[in-house]
Amino acid sequence: MDNSLQSSKLMLLLAISFVLFLNTELRFLTAAGALTMIAKYALFYLIYIVYLGKREHDDPELVTASHHQMLESLLQFKEDAHNSMIYSYQHGFSGFAALLTSSQAKEISEHPAVIHVIPNRILKLKTTRTWDHLGLSPIPTSFSSSSLSVKGLLHDTNMGSEAIIGVIDSGIWPESKVVNDQGLGPIPKRWRGKCEPGEQFNATIHCNNKLIGAKYYLNGLLAAVAGKFNRTIIQDFKSTRDANGHGTHTATIAGGSFVPNVSFYGLAGGMVRGGAPRARIASYKACWNIMGDEGGRTEGRCTSADMWKAFDDAIHDGVDVLSVSIGGSIPEDSEVDKLDYIAAFHAVAKGITVVAAAGNEGPGAQTVDNVAPWLLTVAATTLDRSFPTKITLGNKQTLMAESLFTGPEISTGLAFLDSDSDDNVDVKGKTVLVFDSASPIAGKDVAAVILAQKPDDLLSRCNGLHCIYADYELGTDILKYIRTTRSPTVRISVATTLTGQPATTKVAAFSCRGPNSVSPAILKPDIAAPGVSILAALSPLDPDAHNGFGLDSGTSMSTPVVSGIIALLKCLHPNWSPAAMRSALVTTAWRTSPTGEPIFAEGSNKKLETNNMATPHPGRAMKLRQSAKIMPRIALPPYAWHDDL
């Protein structure tokens, strides 16, 4: 009898515990869209985005109800319709993402209310001195970041304090110094967004008057790459917290707060801040770390279904500009409106300028990404800054390469390796010269590598290995010394930061070029901005971070430069349309460097840029609009984007 009573008590306690567990977890499961169910369905179905155009109801709940009703008519059962739904797009436009078979997708595409049915696709992230270079820096009056004398556009806009910059990316690291809200007033009253809590992200603690919005979108990715989002191998968070670092970096460039005395191991030192340092930031995390196709390497990936929901929320929340450093791959779809640009179109129709990356697959022609005419597409240029590294050969010959090598100085033997080299060649502890690829040194335990290659403007620290970057001419000189010397040696000095000549502004070799492969008459890219070795905040989980900051390159970095400038202009001219913003920038941009030198297209035999591949000049954009009335439509610049640039 006692055993029976104890068993009954035990069963009751277990039942109560289970109910408490369900109460704790149910909210998360509902908010996440029942992720386990999604992963299960994803084994048999694909995600399709059903686009319905403008909303038929002002009430978002009625919009969502109509979506469920449409799915229910297709799938016959209400429960199946509920489980199939990934997202309901209910604010800026009408549509939904759902798990469907190909035959179901075809059937629903024939519904008279459906405009398009679009397969979900996976997109990728396009991975200090900038504002001095663009003539948009405050003048420090002391060593305090709060003691700054500002003039021009920064002064006239209070450094963007009323602007709200939305960043669709990999999230943000909320403890970063760049999101401190020191000196900021209350959040603009028109803001309708919120901060969502999640894993290691406390909305009350981590959001402030700087970081005013934080949302994340995971359902589309889980359904698209079921099994690859393995958090036992790859660290990420089911929240807006950024494990990748890309989102934190881009948010810093667009609207980061002042952080003095920052450098990357002593290089590129100075004050870090965004283009609109007092603007508010809303982070929309639609990109996540997943296993790469080759294994052992993580990649930042985003799905169009998740991005559409981020656009939908951003429209509702009231952002002024959206910075999107994300893109697809070549070829672009010939029907632009069927891909990922429709959500951005609705944002632009609501007065939100959408700034997007041109891509990093240059310098070939017709490689430009994000070519929809309503996007402001940004290419990348270098700064007038370099990191020269002195190489001294054993014969006392001195050569200048470039690197992020920060010491200590090394003196070693010198050798050459290529794919045909004898595997028994002893290179342990030596500096090795290679051409085009560092693969010959894999597993060789070398001290450093000198990589001779075509200029690509990309510098890195090579995962702890000392990497020195040279062109073919320099590499050939070093190779000649090696082949004519019995015991060649080399001394590599620490890299330094050089600002100004001989470094000058040029279009980065990796930056995608036009013409627009879909519609050549629509000029793309629209404009170029600094995107090479940009110092900004990173997630501390990023292996390339140093004290929370790092140097990154790509059109991902040039895109938020323009987003920050748009935020400033929006404060000064709140009624300007996205077309007016674009017109003001592309018709006033520089076509020469700050020193007056022509901007060359790096990687194309120093061909001059002769078109809208020019760096933005914020002051000129402001003055142009103040002195002339320009119709609020897309005003193409008077110079064309040629296929050889």
Side-chain angles (χ1 to χ4, degrees), residues 338-594:
K338 281 194 175 183
L339 283 178
D340 311 300
Y341 309 120
I342 301 174
F345 171 80
H346 284 280
V348 172
K350 297 290 184 180
I352 302 168
T353 302
V354 180
V355 189
N360 304 328
E361 289 72 41
Q366 295 186 313
T367 52
V368 62
D369 195 7
N370 289 319
V371 298
W374 47 86
L375 299 176
L376 181 52
T377 308
V378 186
T381 69
T382 63
L383 291 165
D384 59 343
R385 181 181 68 192
S386 59
F387 305 108
T389 306
K390 185 167 70 173
I391 298 173
T392 306
L393 303 179
N395 62 2
K396 306 303 182 183
Q397 182 182 5
T398 299
L399 306 169
M400 297 303 295
E402 195 169 8
S403 76
L404 299 180
F405 173 55
T406 55
E409 180 178 281
I410 58 175
S411 296
T412 71
L414 181 61
F416 168 69
L417 283 182
D418 63 11
S419 56
D420 297 324
S421 297
D422 188 341
D423 289 339
N424 296 321
V425 174
D426 181 20
V427 294
K428 184 176 181 180
K430 294 183 178 180
T431 297
V432 176
L433 170 70
V434 295
F435 280 75
D436 292 323
S437 171
S439 57
I441 66 169
K444 300 288 188 180
D445 194 21
V446 303
V449 59
I450 300 174
L451 177 59
Q453 59 180 3
K454 294 186 296 183
D456 65 3
D457 299 312
L458 297 173
L459 301 178
S460 72
R461 289 173 62 87
C462 302
N463 297 320
L465 180 66
H466 304 312
C467 288
I468 315 300
Y469 297 87
D471 59 19
Y472 289 139
E473 181 180 359
L474 192 65
T476 302
D477 289 342
I478 298 172
L479 180 59
K480 182 179 179 180
Y481 163 71
I482 293 172
R483 287 177 169 172
T484 57
T485 306
R486 184 181 297 275
S487 299
T489 60
V490 66
R491 183 173 74 250
I492 300 176
S493 302
V494 174
T496 59
T497 303
L498 176 64
T499 300
Q501 297 287 355
T504 188
T505 306
K506 57 198 176 199
V507 180
F510 59 77
S511 187
C512 285
R513 269 66 165 172
N516 179 344
S517 60
V518 177
S519 301
I522 300 173
L523 308 183
K524 292 291 178 177
D526 295 293
I527 201 165
V532 175
S533 297
I534 305 300
L535 181 62
L538 286 171
S539 164
L541 301 179
D542 189 321
D544 294 324
H546 172 64
N547 294 331
F549 292 85
L551 293 167
D552 269 351
S553 298
T555 54
S556 280
M557 284 67 248
S558 58
T559 296
V561 170
V562 175
S563 300
I565 294 171
I566 293 289
L568 295 177
L569 290 174
K570 190 70 174 178
C571 289
L572 199 62
H573 301 285
N575 296 323
W576 279 10
S577 68
M581 292 286 183
R582 177 184 182 276
S583 176
L585 286 184
V586 302
T587 57
T588 59
W590 284 322
R591 287 193 286 170
T592 60
S593 71

Side-chain angles (χ1 to χ4, degrees), residues 23 58 89 97 124 144 178 226 241 258 295 333 366 479 538 611:
N23 286 337
D58 291 331
Y89 308 122
K124 57 185 178 181
S144 169
V178 298
R241 181 174 291 277
F258 291 98
D333 196 291
Q366 295 186 313
L479 180 59
L538 286 171
N611 46 53

Side-chain angles (χ1 to χ4, degrees), residues 9 57 161 175 184 259 327 330 334 380 442 526:
K9 288 180 177 179
H57 307 283
S161 64
E175 291 86 2
L184 286 179
V259 183
I330 303 168
S334 59
D526 295 293

